Amino acid sequence: AVSAFVFLDHDGDRIFTEGIDEPLPDAIVEAPHGKSNATTDETGQAFLYNLPDNRITDVRLNEYSFFDPLLVPGYAGASIMP
């Protein structure tokens, strides 16, 4: 499994700062090559399960799942090998 933490970065430093930034619920995290996705909970966490072993997959946010259409991901995503 892979975990992801999604948050609104109010101060723009790309690091979660308690009391300034806030977790982002209901954002969709995708692993398209692993054919998996998950939705963040109220704490901004999501878990992707059943990813294939020893196979590289991208992990990214589905920007269309954000409650505000002006929000954009801070990173394009990441490639991982579970």
Side-chain angles (χ1 to χ4, degrees):
V2 171
S3 66
F5 176 56
V6 182
F7 62 94
L8 293 175
D9 190 12
H10 291 292
D11 57 5
D13 65 357
R14 296 185 176 201
I15 298 170
F16 183 76
T17 306
E18 190 73 40
I20 297 173
D21 301 326
E22 59 184 291
L24 184 62
D26 301 320
I28 297 173
V29 180
E30 302 172 326
H33 301 106
K35 298 182 180 155
S36 181
N37 65 49
T39 303
T40 56
D41 62 16
E42 65 279 350
T43 67
Q45 295 186 3
F47 297 91
L48 297 165
Y49 297 100
N50 299 320
L51 297 173
D53 291 335
N54 301 316
R55 184 173 172 203
I56 295 173
T57 186
D58 294 333
V59 176
R60 64 183 181 209
L61 287 170
N62 179 327
E63 62 189 78
Y64 299 107
S65 66
F66 300 157
F67 68 90
D68 183 338
L70 298 178
L71 293 176
V72 295
Y75 293 96
S79 293
I80 61 161
M81 184 184 305

